Amino acid sequence: MNNRFSFSVFTAGIIVLMISFVVSSCNKKFDEPPLGTDPNITANLTIKDLKAMYSSIGSFQRINDDKVISGIVIADDRSGNFYKQIIIQDETGGIPILLDGNNVYTSYPVGRKVFVKVKGLMLGDYGGNIQLGLDSVRSDDGRYLNLGRIPQPLFDQYILKGSFGNEVKPKVIKISEITKNINDPAYSMLVQINKAEFGDADLNKTYADPANKQTVSAVNFNIRTCDDSKIIVLRNSSYARFAGAKVAQGNGALIGVPGIFNGTVQFFIRDTSDAQFTNARCSAQPVTVKSIADILKYATPEADSIIPFGIAIEGTIISGTGNEAAGNYRLQDATGGITLYFTKGSNPSPGTLGDKLRVNVSGQRFSMFNGTIQVSDVNNSTTVGKGTITPRVATIEEIKNNLQAWQSTVVAIKGVTFAEGSTASTGKNYTVKDASGEITTFVRTTAGIIIPAAADTVLGYVSIYQPAGQPATAQLVLRTLDDIKGGNTGGLFSASFDFAGVTTTSGTTDPTPLPTVNGLIFSNFTAIGVGTNSSGAGRFSFSGWPLGATNGSDAFTGDIDLAKYFEVVITPQSGKRLDLNKLTFTLQRSGTGIRQYAVRSGLDAFNTNLPASIDPENTNLSVVATSVFQVSDAVSNAQNGSTISFGNSFKNFTTPITLRFYGFNAESSGGTFSIDNVVIEGKAY
């Protein structure tokens, strides 16, 4: 009996095990591999070849071939800087896949391998960046075609999950290696840019603007490197988890994914750990002096590049402040010339023609202004002595044939004639001719240059003028009257004071280099009896003038105070004589400044006003009483037109003559009287 019982129990157990095995076998899903392993499928198309199917921007196309790509996820939506998408990469390229779901990183985290069945999906682009999605959709206004996202219920139909923890090592590249071609291999790939950093002005900012994300959805930064001539735009979403974090302060490796949007190359990080800026910034590098020709190699035709760090140039100033725009200086060395645009308040000191400068151009950006490539926002220069530049003797035809190579260098043209051309508000155009052709020169009213009918030789630097959409034209820019050799002006001169050296701490004497006229000596302008410093830079502006005006009224109760004035002295050199013909200047007042002003001379001990007029006509200026200038109460900006005509009594001086400018009838003691662009015309013989 016992043996029969044991056999029955054993037999029953065997049967139960067999039934369990059969049931288990029937429920197993053979098309799903164990979790964390790759599915039993083979990729038969590379990402590079997939993207190559996309021929041009806007050419959305359905994929009809039964193809499979595979790649490792290099970016997901975990931090919020990538929205409803993953980016995958294989050995040949990378591509974003648009997914209509949230927190997709839980299924497709960075490092997971995926296989994508592309049949039925669609290739499209967003601003030129190639993407993979499902359908094309129109924007709400119907203007733009956008790529649709794969709906979440269809994720598993198109995307097969694979193994975890696959590492993709970022490819080290330079910013300048990335092109604007939509099939640039760097787009949607994990890359690393070394020696990268945020700009100095951005170091106190956060990665984006989470407080205003409804109106500021993303924030752009220009990222530069220490050794490249290009910058790249780092774009961060204000919805990213790290949006409120302060940007990385140092210098180092920047890891992320580049792309393009409407012609602008952009860069995206996954989180702040991608900005590995733990090294010293570029500005800490030692500086090496290079030639002008060397730094011009970093300039692109679009002038959108920067000069690498650790570079300075040395050269001689070949421009004059009187006949050049404020802040512009032309520098030349043995290899070439360049235009430098200095930030306000950073002009070279003293910055005169012939000064030799050492200029730190590390990290400075090239820009294009009317066809001329210039280095912008220069703020670090040192005068290291005097330099000598020998002009290149050339014909006008040769100048035009070598325009790009010779720009911002000094030339000498022999046997020339001059003809007057059009007049502008700031000066006059002249046509310069030699036997080979003609070239234009523009002489500012502030230059103090009298143009004769002809000259044996004329000197100047070559400049390019090219307004938008127009061909480039050659110009010759004169610096001083001394650039005209053998020209007979009959001793006529035009001496200009532009107060370029005046600052709010320069005191009561204008430190700007003085105009030079053969046979004459000019003093610096001084302010007597008024404030201790100019209220503005680049003009002679002081407070403390006699009161006598009220706001909105032309009724005045004040008068000239002979102890409060601006003064300049003109002295003929021994054996020379002086005639004064005309004086013009720019007037400016603050909102409570002077309403009336006059000019007097030492010829009659400053007893009478010199003959005043407004030329050209200016409705904000008038002459009242006996040659008293009056300015409208409604204006506080610069006003041109104040003119003095000296007359016959100002001829044949052999001794110094003093001119004084008086302001009066101010609305308050803090109100200002400002003069600028003072031009004195006459004859020295």
Side-chain angles (χ1 to χ4, degrees):
M1 295 291 294
N2 288 336
N3 290 338
R4 287 198 300 270
F5 177 79
S6 298
F7 177 79
S8 299
V9 170
F10 176 78
T11 302
I14 292 297
I15 292 171
V16 169
L17 286 172
M18 291 178 67
I19 292 171
S20 298
F21 177 79
V22 170
V23 171
S24 174
S25 298
C26 290
N27 288 336
K28 185 174 182 180
K29 296 180 181 179
F30 288 100
D31 58 345
E32 289 189 5
L35 185 65
T37 61
D38 292 336
N40 186 21
I41 190 171
T42 302
N44 55 11
L45 182 68
T46 67
I47 293 177
K48 178 182 178 181
D49 289 340
L50 173 67
K51 294 172 72 173
M53 298 178 185
Y54 199 71
S55 57
S56 62
I57 295 174
S59 59
F60 287 42
Q61 59 192 80
R62 180 83 60 191
I63 303 170
N64 297 316
D65 296 333
D66 192 10
K67 297 291 185 180
V68 176
I69 61 170
S70 69
I72 297 170
V73 178
I74 59 168
D76 57 34
D77 63 349
R78 178 185 290 270
S79 72
N81 207 34
F82 294 87
Y83 178 67
K84 290 189 174 183
Q85 64 177 290
I86 57 173
I87 301 178
I88 68 169
Q89 174 183 328
D90 66 9
E91 295 82 1
T92 68
I95 191 167
I97 303 175
L98 306 188
L99 302 173
D100 196 6
N102 295 313
N103 300 320
V104 296
Y105 72 89
T106 58
S107 297
Y108 313 107
V110 169
R112 186 165 206 179
K113 190 171 186 178
V114 297
F115 293 77
V116 184
K117 299 177 180 179
V118 298
K119 184 177 181 179
L121 294 180
M122 179 171 282
L123 282 171
D125 74 88
Y126 182 64
N129 204 54
I130 300 175
Q131 302 173 323
L132 189 61
L134 188 58
D135 290 301
S136 60
V137 293
R138 284 283 173 187
S139 58
D140 292 340
D141 59 9
R143 296 172 58 194
Y144 303 107
L145 188 65
N146 295 320
L147 190 62
R149 303 178 187 278
I150 302 173
Q152 190 163 8
L154 300 182
F155 285 2
D156 291 341
Q157 176 179 327
Y158 291 103
I159 305 173
L160 304 183
K161 305 181 188 73
S163 55
F164 292 99
N166 298 284
E167 182 181 0
V168 175
K169 187 176 181 180
K171 180 181 179 181
V172 177
I173 64 171
K174 285 181 173 289
I175 297 172
S176 57
E177 293 173 353
I178 306 174
T179 71
K180 295 183 179 181
N181 188 313
I182 63 171
N183 279 307
D184 189 295
Y187 292 155
S188 301
M189 293 276 281
L190 190 67
V191 302
Q192 177 174 318
I193 299 170
N194 290 331
K195 298 182 180 180
E197 65 182 28
F198 288 91
D200 295 342
D202 295 329
L203 293 178
N204 291 324
K205 298 178 182 178
T206 56
Y207 279 94
D209 190 359
N212 299 295
K213 58 187 176 185
Q214 298 296 331
T215 54
V216 184
S217 62
V219 174
N220 291 345
F221 292 92
N222 286 334
I223 297 295
R224 63 193 184 189
T225 67
C226 301
D227 57 358
D228 202 351
S229 60
K230 286 283 192 177
I231 61 171
I232 196 168
V233 173
L234 175 68
R235 186 168 176 83
N236 303 313
S237 170
S238 292
Y239 292 86
R241 295 179 185 179
F242 58 83
K246 195 172 183 180
V247 302
Q249 301 294 291
N251 177 282
L254 181 68
I255 299 171
V257 182
I260 190 168
F261 180 73
N262 291 346
T264 298
V265 178
Q266 298 180 332
F267 199 88
F268 299 86
I269 58 175
R270 285 88 55 90
D271 55 45
T272 56
S273 65
D274 281 339
Q276 301 172 4
F277 294 175
T278 58
N279 301 324
R281 290 176 61 78
C282 297
S283 55
Q285 290 189 170
V287 176
T288 301
V289 175
K290 290 194 174 185
S291 70
I292 290 175
D294 283 339
I295 70 162
L296 284 173
K297 294 176 183 177
Y298 298 114
T300 61
E302 299 83 10
D304 60 351
S305 55
I306 61 173
I307 300 169
F309 280 81
I311 295 177
I313 56 174
E314 281 188 4
T316 300
I317 296 177
I318 60 167
S319 55
T321 56
N323 204 29
E324 181 61 271
N328 274 7
Y329 290 81
R330 310 279 179 141
L331 209 66
Q332 183 176 347
D333 67 7
T335 68
I338 195 167
T339 302
L340 305 175
Y341 180 72
F342 284 78
T343 57
K344 190 173 183 180
S346 300
N347 287 350
S349 178
T352 53
L353 180 64
D355 283 351
K356 188 174 184 180
L357 290 185
R358 177 176 296 167
V359 185
N360 190 333
V361 292
S362 297
Q364 298 299 134
R365 188 168 188 172
F366 287 105
S367 64
M368 185 75 72
F369 182 75
N370 283 341
T372 296
I373 293 178
Q374 62 183 14
V375 180
S376 299
D377 301 325
V378 180
N379 57 17
N380 188 345
S381 68
T382 304
T383 302
V384 293
K386 289 288 185 179
T388 301
I389 297 294
T390 301
R392 176 189 287 110
V393 179
T395 66
I396 292 174
E397 182 181 26
E398 289 172 332
I399 292 170
K400 291 181 175 180
N401 290 339
N402 296 277
L403 183 56
Q404 294 292 337
W406 291 2
Q407 65 173 307
S408 297
T409 64
V410 182
V411 295
I413 309 171
K414 294 185 176 295
V416 298
T417 60
F418 298 90
E420 286 192 19
S422 59
T423 299
S425 59
T426 56
K428 182 178 291 188
N429 285 300
Y430 294 85
T431 299
V432 184
K433 293 184 179 182
D434 71 357
S436 71
E438 60 184 45
I439 192 171
T440 299
T441 186
F442 181 76
V443 178
R444 296 173 180 264
T445 55
T446 57
I449 300 173
I450 302 295
I451 298 295
D456 294 337
T457 303
V458 62
L459 307 179
Y461 62 82
V462 178
S463 181
I464 298 174
Y465 182 66
Q466 186 178 19
Q470 301 295 319
T473 58
Q475 290 190 333
L476 180 72
V477 182
L478 281 62
R479 292 79 56 82
T480 70
L481 188 59
D482 290 337
D483 280 338
I484 300 172
K485 309 294 184 183
N488 183 14
T489 63
L492 295 174
F493 70 87
S494 176
S496 174
F497 297 81
D498 64 4
F499 305 103
V502 172
T503 68
T504 55
T505 59
S506 56
T508 56
T509 300
D510 172 22
T512 309
L514 294 170
T516 57
V517 173
N518 185 34
L520 299 179
I521 299 172
F522 293 90
S523 74
N524 297 90
F525 264 85
T526 56
I528 307 296
V530 289
T532 56
N533 280 295
S534 177
S535 63
R539 53 192 172 93
F540 215 47
S541 178
F542 289 81
S543 59
W545 302 95
L547 303 177
T550 57
N551 185 36
S553 172
D554 286 342
F556 306 111
T557 59
D559 202 352
I560 286 178
D561 182 341
L562 294 179
K564 297 184 176 187
Y565 52 85
F566 299 141
E567 179 179 278
V568 65
V569 181
I570 311 166
T571 303
Q573 292 178 336
S574 177
K576 295 291 185 178
R577 297 179 181 273
L578 167 66
D579 294 349
L580 290 179
N581 297 334
K582 184 180 178 181
L583 166 70
T584 60
F585 59 97
T586 298
L587 171 282
Q588 189 169 349
R589 64 183 287 271
S590 62
T592 59
I594 59 101
R595 292 290 311 284
Q596 295 184 323
Y597 53 105
V599 180
R600 297 185 176 186
S601 79
L603 187 62
D604 64 352
F606 312 104
N607 284 321
T608 58
N609 299 332
L610 295 177
S613 62
I614 308 300
D615 183 20
E617 183 178 349
N618 184 336
T619 57
N620 292 317
L621 301 178
S622 60
V623 176
V624 299
T626 307
S627 288
V628 172
F629 292 104
Q630 183 169 306
V631 57
S632 170
D633 183 51
V635 298
S636 58
N637 57 338
Q639 301 294 316
N640 295 322
S642 299
T643 301
I644 297 294
S645 301
F646 288 102
N648 290 330
S649 58
F650 286 82
K651 307 290 185 185
N652 204 29
F653 287 108
T654 58
T655 57
I657 180 71
T658 301
L659 302 177
R660 291 178 179 174
F661 298 66
Y662 297 90
F664 52 101
N665 280 323
E667 294 180 16
S668 75
S669 59
T672 62
F673 170 35
S674 166
I675 59 173
D676 196 5
N677 299 323
V678 177
V679 178
I680 302 171
E681 297 180 8
K683 182 178 179 180
Y685 53 100

